[in-house]
Amino acid sequence: QEAEKIKILIAGKQDNFSNNLRMIGAIRLQIKELDNLAFEESEISGTENEIRIKRSEKEELGREYVKFSFEINSISSGISEKQGLKAKISNLETCPTCLQEVHDSYKSNILHNCDEEIILMNQKIESMKKRKNETNEKILGVNLIILGLEKKLAEINSVKLKIHSLNDKKLRIKEIEDSNIILGEEIKLFNSKKEFMEFSVLDFAV
């Protein structure tokens, strides 16, 4: 009965020993794959600096975009005011100040000036809209660059972490090898014990 217990103990320790060998092989394979990886710390700082520059550029473009939007709205309000003035002048019969009749030539002159100003303001709005659209395209372009740089930075950091994990993996191999040395000694000891018990049984049988 005692011999059977020892056999079970030996089998368990041999399984552990074999599992450890498989684990060492798998970790060594991982280390081999990681050995081909490389990165420079300057890559991280350089990429981070590029991202900062592009974000600053994006913020500046954003301010320009808002500025164009504000100016377009402001000019549009000016056009509405001019159109309101035109309506008042068209319907004006007498001067509200001197109460004299307002001649058509006078009204025509004011209306003509309003029309010219409205034309100029519409031209300015079109110019602003074009610049606003161009700015928006630049923002989209910078966004794509930032996304690309952020992806690059994430990949570099991932490589950095994997390379730093090499030492942990090598340490793990050393721990498993030390464990196998102990297991090997224990297996030898139990085998010796088993053989001794088997010989003792034979001697007793004789």
Side-chain angles (χ1 to χ4, degrees), residues 57-77 121-139:
E57 185 180 331
K58 180 185 170 182
E59 286 175 8
E60 182 60 34
L61 288 168
R63 284 191 288 270
E64 280 186 31
Y65 186 88
V66 170
K67 180 186 170 187
F68 289 137
S69 295
F70 177 80
E71 288 183 3
I72 288 167
N73 290 336
S74 178
I75 296 168
S76 295
S77 295
M121 284 190 282
N122 275 322
Q123 288 174 347
K124 195 169 184 181
I125 283 175
E126 288 306 309
S127 174
M128 288 288 178
K129 281 182 178 177
K130 184 182 176 184
R131 292 173 69 185
K132 181 183 172 182
N133 289 336
E134 286 171 355
T135 302
N136 188 51
E137 289 298 317
K138 287 178 185 177
I139 290 170

Side-chain angles (χ1 to χ4, degrees), residues 110-192:
I110 293 175
L111 292 173
H112 176 72
N113 288 337
C114 284
D115 285 336
E116 285 192 338
E117 287 178 19
I118 287 170
I119 289 168
L120 289 173
M121 284 190 282
N122 275 322
Q123 288 174 347
K124 195 169 184 181
I125 283 175
E126 288 306 309
S127 174
M128 288 288 178
K129 281 182 178 177
K130 184 182 176 184
R131 292 173 69 185
K132 181 183 172 182
N133 289 336
E134 286 171 355
T135 302
N136 188 51
E137 289 298 317
K138 287 178 185 177
I139 290 170
L140 293 174
V142 172
N143 270 338
L144 287 175
I145 293 169
I146 290 170
L147 287 172
L149 289 169
E150 286 175 340
K151 184 182 176 184
K152 179 185 173 184
L153 183 62
E155 287 169 355
I156 296 169
N157 279 321
S158 175
V159 169
K160 180 183 177 181
L161 288 172
K162 285 176 181 176
I163 290 171
H164 283 178
S165 73
L166 272 173
N167 289 334
D168 293 336
K169 291 181 187 299
K170 288 173 183 176
L171 184 63
R172 180 66 183 139
I173 285 176
K174 178 71 171 59
E175 288 172 353
I176 297 169
E177 285 175 340
D178 289 345
S179 175
N180 264 9
I181 290 170
I182 295 168
L183 282 170
E185 294 298 323
E186 288 177 344
I187 290 166
K188 283 180 187 176
L189 180 65
F190 281 117
N191 272 328
S192 298

Side-chain angles (χ1 to χ4, degrees), residues 14-31:
Q14 284 174 334
D15 282 345
N16 289 340
F17 190 92
S18 298
N19 288 336
N20 282 348
L21 287 177
R22 282 193 291 272
M23 202 180 296
I24 288 169
I27 295 171
R28 280 187 174 146
L29 187 62
Q30 291 171 14
I31 289 171

